[in-house]
Each structure stands twice: as C-alpha cells, then as structure tokens.
Amino acid sequence: MTKGTRKNGRRTRVVLAALLVAAIGSGCGTESSGPAAHAPAGPSAAPPTAADPSAAKPAAGQEQGGAAAVAPSARARGEAKAQGQAQGQAKGQVKGRPEQQQAGPGGALAAYAEKLRQVQAARAVAARKWKLAGTPLAAPPPPAVKPVITNRKGFEIDGAEDEDLPPVFTTVPVKDKVVFLTIDDGSEKDPELLRMMSELKIPYSAFLSDYVISDNYGYFQQMQKRGVSLNNHTLHHPYLPGLSYEEQKHEICDQQDKIEKRYGKRPTLFRPPYGNYNGDTLRIAKECGIKAVPLWSAEAFTDHMDWREWDRDLHPGDIILTHFRGRGEWKGSMPDMIRYVMKLITDKGYAVARLEDYV
C-alpha cells in the first residue's frame, strides 16, 4: 500500500468517526445511573385532604495487529471507494443536499445531529425569551417498541391478578434520563402557557375534567392542535371509591364519550381524581377503552415539589403531575410553574419526553 493510500484511508475513518461523535455529542441518548428506589403504596381508602429508555465490526481486510486477509490491491480499491463515498458525502453537506447527507449510516447520523442542533438552537432562543434558567435538554428518539408497563408494587387490586386490568404506575420503565410532564383538570386556561410550551417544544399530556373545561372547550382544542394528548380525568372530579359502580361508570365512560365527541379521539389513558381507585374503577376504565392508568412520582408547584419517593429525587421514567392553576390558587402563574419545574429537571440532567410515545 502506498503512503498516500494509507493517508486517505485514515482520512476516511476520521471523517466517519467525527460524524458519529457529533451526533452522539448532540444528545442522541443518555443513560441513567440506576433504578429508582420506590416506597410501596396502594389504592387509597380515604379521600385526600390536599390538592389535588454494538461495537462496530471491523471492515473486511482491516488490520488489527495481524496480517490483512485481503490482498493489497483489493484493500487499496476498497479504501479508494470509501474515500470517494466520504468525499461525496462531505460535498453534499457543504452544498446542503439532504439526500446525500442521509446516504448510509454516517449520513443518517449527520442529518439527525443537524436537525437536533437546529431544534436546540431555537429552544435556546425561546428559553431566553421565556426567562428560563437554562435551555431544556433534548429527549432521545422515542423507543421503536414501547416498554412493557406493569402495576407498581402495592398498587394492585387484591384478587384481580387474572383480570388483565389497566396497569397503575408512577414511573415508566426506561433507562434514558427522561421524565414525563402531565397537567390535570383544566380550570386555568392561560394562553401564555400554550405559547410558552409550543415555542420551547416541551411535550406534556393533559388529563381533563369536563366540569372545569366546559366553559372554554376551544382552549384545549388549541392545545390538541399543538400535539398535546387530551386524556380522561372524569366528568366532575369525584372521589371514585365512594361511588357505586353505575356512578363511576357515568364519571369515567361519559367523559370518554365527551372527549371523543369534542376532540375526535377517544382517550386510552385515565387518571383517577386524587389518585384514588378501586377494582370497579379499573374494570370500568377497561370497559370504556382505557389501556393504562398513570399516576405520578412527584407534583410540581410554582415554588416547590411534593415527592412520593423517600429520596425526594427524580428517576428515569418518572411521571410529574401539576395542575392547570393560576395566581388565584398559586403563588404565581402557570409559566412560573414551568420555569421552576424545568430548572429542576434540566439541572438534574433530565429531558422531558412525550408520555404517549412510551405508554
């Protein structure tokens, strides 16, 4: 092999390695430090008193401390071909030709990294506008296969193990450092929240009660158009275990019908008010089309967090609850609450992901 051929081969490998490093450095994925420690709890029996996640195989003929398996002339032809591909790819990037950027694994990584860079640049501008302490971190791509969701230990219904009821959980089993933001009821309809979350590109899920959204269904239609999923939180926000089977069915199934009629999509996620439920609750929810019952690991306010876990910390896959509230009930606005909770999430190295992409 000539000196020039070796130099070109090294250049090709450097180009491809740089593309991979750039993509990974831009946030293609992070891993957690370990599983969360959970304190067992179960379905509440009394009404509440407060507020409501391979090493590359060497190319044929590549030397790894021994004799090459391919004749020098064949190796030279292979390296020359690789060099040409790399030069073509680089040329396409310089000219801004996306079809060349996406040719092959290196090109796909480069295209993804560039898209991520652009989104984060826009986020940084929005973060300054909305006076966030820092730019929200980018979540990894959604999983190709959603994780298997099971009941949190202690949250099961006794004697219902064989009924295949919707699972009740507070954390999604993932390894990536992502958390999920959920907002309940719908009493406060702050237009600033819609603009803020859209510009910051922070995903969240809404769990709605009809009695507080009925004065302005259009607000939540705007929210839905921005990509927010509208889920079931009952008609009137009652303490469900205190109701008869038929009364619970009215609260849960009729809200399913209302959301489908108003917004064109029947929810598959349901959150019981106050996090309280019994066997009838889950049986009715399943009957009405509910697939899962996400509760929460922490609750966010404008100036503090209420924690379910003993370590008072975030864990990969945690679900964060907050409410549609304003200055009439909080020491601040909904944008103030977002500033507070996003600082905590970002400072701890987490990104916010879309719950429905995982459940």
Side-chain angles (χ1 to χ4, degrees), residues 46-99:
T49 57
D52 309 79
S54 61
K57 184 179 181 180
Q62 182 177 343
E63 296 180 0
Q64 292 188 332
V70 180
S73 58
R75 185 193 305 120
R77 288 196 300 270
E79 292 183 350
K81 181 178 179 180
Q83 178 190 1
Q85 291 173 341
Q87 290 174 342
Q89 181 185 75
K91 184 177 180 181
Q93 291 170 350
V94 170
K95 291 185 177 181
R97 294 167 62 182
E99 67 275 9

Side-chain angles (χ1 to χ4, degrees), residues 52 209 233-234 237-240 270-277 296:
D52 309 79
S209 291
H233 198 42
T234 71
H237 206 276
Y239 173 66
L240 290 174
F270 166 66
R271 176 174 286 160
Y274 317 107
N276 296 139
Y277 59 94
W296 61 91

Side-chain angles (χ1 to χ4, degrees), residues 52 100 105 107 125 215 223 240 265 291 337 355:
D52 309 79
Q100 289 199 1
V125 173
D215 62 338
M223 188 176 290
L240 290 174
K265 188 174 182 180
K291 305 299 183 184
M337 178 273 298
L355 180 62

Side-chain angles (χ1 to χ4, degrees), residues 244-254 284 287-288:
S244 69
Y245 186 96
E246 288 303 321
E247 289 171 331
Q248 287 203 51
K249 186 172 182 179
H250 169 63
E251 286 290 336
I252 300 170
C253 297
D254 285 7
I284 291 165
E287 178 184 342
C288 295

Side-chain angles (χ1 to χ4, degrees), residues 189-260:
K189 303 165 186 68
D190 189 344
E192 290 288 283
L193 177 73
L194 296 180
R195 290 192 287 270
M196 181 183 198
M197 301 299 270
S198 294
E199 292 177 15
L200 288 169
K201 301 188 185 306
I202 298 174
Y204 61 105
S205 304
F207 289 80
L208 305 179
S209 291
D210 188 71
Y211 83 111
V212 287
I213 71 170
S214 59
D215 62 338
N216 190 352
Y217 287 119
Y219 177 82
F220 300 97
Q221 188 172 42
Q222 294 179 52
M223 188 176 290
Q224 184 187 43
K225 289 179 179 179
R226 288 166 163 83
V228 178
S229 291
L230 307 182
N231 303 293
N232 190 331
H233 198 42
T234 71
L235 288 173
H236 302 99
H237 206 276
Y239 173 66
L240 290 174
L243 302 182
S244 69
Y245 186 96
E246 288 303 321
E247 289 171 331
Q248 287 203 51
K249 186 172 182 179
H250 169 63
E251 286 290 336
I252 300 170
C253 297
D254 285 7
Q255 178 67 341
Q256 287 284 92
D257 294 341
K258 278 184 175 286
I259 292 177
E260 183 177 25

Side-chain angles (χ1 to χ4, degrees), residues 117-137:
R117 186 196 67 77
Q118 292 174 0
V119 169
Q120 284 301 96
R123 263 184 159 183
V125 173
R128 290 192 293 271
K129 172 184 174 180
W130 291 101
K131 299 180 181 180
L132 268 67
T135 303
L137 300 178

